[in-house]
Amino acid sequence: MDEGRHRRWRDPTHAGPNSIELNVAGASDAPGTPTKPVIRPREGGLLVAARTQLAKVSPATILTVGEEPENLSVLAALLRPTYRVLAAHSGTRALELAASDPKPDLILLDVSMLDMDGYTVLAHLKAHRVTRDIPVIFVTRLDQDDDQRRGLDLGAADCITTPLRPSILLARVRTQIELKQARDWMRDQ
């Protein structure tokens, strides 16, 4: 291996035949180029190599759902620097967009909507094979424990109350996107 292009890292907590080794692309690679872990069996252990992708991976798609245009604009402004953002002004439109291409990687769903509340939208999403694996974060003005528990019981991945705190929103979105990517990767192995 060309040591000028790669760094080798060994997990100090795992010594011996089952050690974990990680080869990470170095500074000579283009900044921001995504990597995908590749796990291969090796004599007596695992070799985990992160290889640089030749093709650029498209950003995750997030569907924002709510009736308030200002709220959708704020969410879009926070998310667009990192993600592709779709918006739906009703529960019915959200269900259409969730089932079409590009399929969202995450849905930010307002609980309070007139045509169909967020709980009903979530129930429809979880009932259909095409949309059931899309994680949903409820965005709500309701800060009652019962309302948040109800959403989580129905299958929401998380709940965020308004007014939004940008750093918390972005951290929770990033976490859910990473979890979904990990689940998808494991499913495809």
Side-chain angles (χ1 to χ4, degrees), residues 4 16 91-92 100 145 150:
T92 303
S100 65
D145 289 344
R150 179 178 176 200

Side-chain angles (χ1 to χ4, degrees), residues 20-57:
I20 298 173
E21 198 171 274
L22 178 64
N23 295 325
V24 182
S28 61
D29 294 314
T33 304
T35 59
K36 178 179 179 182
V38 177
I39 299 173
R40 285 177 258 174
R42 193 182 67 167
E43 299 172 5
L46 292 176
L47 170 63
V48 180
R51 66 178 166 80
T52 303
Q53 297 298 307
L54 297 176
K56 181 130 176 120
V57 176

Side-chain angles (χ1 to χ4, degrees), residues 52-178:
T52 303
Q53 297 298 307
L54 297 176
K56 181 130 176 120
V57 176
S58 63
T61 300
I62 299 177
L63 172 60
T64 59
V65 185
E67 291 180 331
E68 298 293 326
E70 308 90 42
N71 292 347
L72 294 177
S73 294
V74 168
L75 287 171
L78 289 170
L79 298 169
R80 274 212 175 99
T82 309
Y83 306 104
R84 180 179 356 181
V85 180
L86 305 174
H89 297 283
S90 69
T92 303
R93 182 68 178 140
L95 293 173
E96 292 170 2
L97 288 172
S100 65
D101 286 326
K103 202 162 102 175
D105 297 294
L106 176 66
I107 299 173
L108 296 177
L109 178 61
D110 191 346
V111 173
S112 303
M113 296 183 294
L114 296 178
D115 77 320
M116 185 185 309
D117 69 23
Y119 301 118
T120 305
V121 173
L122 181 60
H124 282 286
L125 289 168
K126 294 302 178 186
H128 296 286
R129 183 185 56 79
V130 174
T131 57
R132 75 173 47 130
D133 293 330
I134 303 171
V136 174
I137 296 177
F138 271 134
V139 180
T140 179
R141 288 180 302 276
L142 308 172
D143 60 355
Q144 301 296 321
D145 289 344
D146 289 343
D147 296 318
Q148 291 183 23
R149 184 190 44 76
R150 179 178 176 200
L152 294 169
D153 286 347
L154 287 172
D158 202 349
C159 295
I160 298 175
T161 58
T162 56
L164 295 173
R165 294 177 297 184
S167 61
I168 299 299
L169 170 74
L170 292 172
R172 289 183 173 183
V173 164
R174 184 183 63 249
T175 297
Q176 291 304 322
I177 294 292
E178 289 172 353

